[in-house]
Amino acid sequence: MSTPAKGATKKEKKKPIPVKTSLNSPYSIHWSPLEREHKHFILNTLKVKLAAVGLQKQRVNRFREWGSRRRSRKKASKPTEEQKPALEPAESVQTPSKPTKPCWSNPAVRNQLAIGINEVTKGLERNELSLVLVCNSVKPAHMTCHLIPLSKTRSVPACQVPSLSDTLAGLLGLKCVLALGFRSGTEEFEDVVRAITPVVPPLSVAWIPTNSTEEKQSDRVKGKKRKLEEMSDEASDASALILQPLKVKKIIPNPTKIRKPKKKGKKKYLSSV
């Protein structure tokens, strides 16, 4: 064990203590909690609707016969003169084409849904969704945090439903369902959106004020400034967001800071000529 030297310099003894001002971070966003009764209600309505619609992903097992590549190469090669008349009637017969890619049982109904985090994000950016449901089993959790401000700015109701993936993945024929969005103007899921929307809790984002704060701020601004009444129709129709200022928790002065006394300057008097 090395012992500290006795003759330590003054700079080594007096080490500066790092002091920083702490601010509350507005970027720590969390989903608002959902009640148990509302959770069971949402999952039951989705189960009943998806079972009635019968939407499911159909997977095709791909099987390649032994020696199929060799046969295809022989057919691609040019046939001899003796084999030409024998191949013509065989080629004219049309064989039914087998599906080689996974497909959905009802593609029209599938287009009315946005399944997955990527599809839900694109739908919110394009203002195409009317309701968003997210599963709480997403790891890491920050993969779905960006959906909170997106749905808040688009005024789309969104919430985190526990065990959403476990209940819907088997019905849809998928491994997992981390996010589910309903497109606006859809006839098939219109009743589901109407039933779930009043149950969804409101989202809280620090830099986006709620409706009550917006009304109070608008009343104050109208009394102070007259220019808002002369705004153009385009500016009034657009929904402007007002940024809220950050609140300082605590300010700690730096104890190691050396404050030099102010030097008193010599007064200069102008001599009158």
Side-chain angles (χ1 to χ4, degrees), residues 9 53 68 80 134-135 165 178 195 201 254:
T9 60
V53 172
S68 60
T80 58
V134 181
C135 185
S165 179
L178 301 181
N254 192 352

Side-chain angles (χ1 to χ4, degrees), residues 24 169 208 211:
N24 58 340
I208 301 174
N211 295 327

Side-chain angles (χ1 to χ4, degrees), residues 41-55:
F41 172 72
I42 291 170
L43 293 177
N44 289 331
T45 51
L46 291 173
K47 276 183 183 179
V48 173
K49 189 63 180 179
L50 291 175
V53 172
L55 181 65

Side-chain angles (χ1 to χ4, degrees), residues 31 34 41-43 45-46 112-116 119-121 123-124 127-134 147 151 154-161 164 179-186 189-201 203:
W31 292 95
L34 186 68
F41 172 72
I42 291 170
L43 293 177
T45 51
L46 291 173
Q112 298 179 11
L113 295 174
I115 303 172
E119 287 190 20
V120 171
T121 305
L124 286 172
N127 295 326
E128 296 177 354
L129 302 182
S130 58
L131 178 65
V132 173
L133 301 176
V134 181
L147 299 176
S151 56
R154 270 72 177 177
S155 65
V156 176
C159 68
Q160 193 178 39
V161 183
L164 179 70
L180 182 65
F182 299 90
R183 301 190 185 276
S184 56
T186 58
F189 298 97
E190 188 176 358
D191 54 348
V192 177
V193 175
R194 288 180 181 176
I196 297 175
T197 299
V199 178
V200 174
L203 298 173

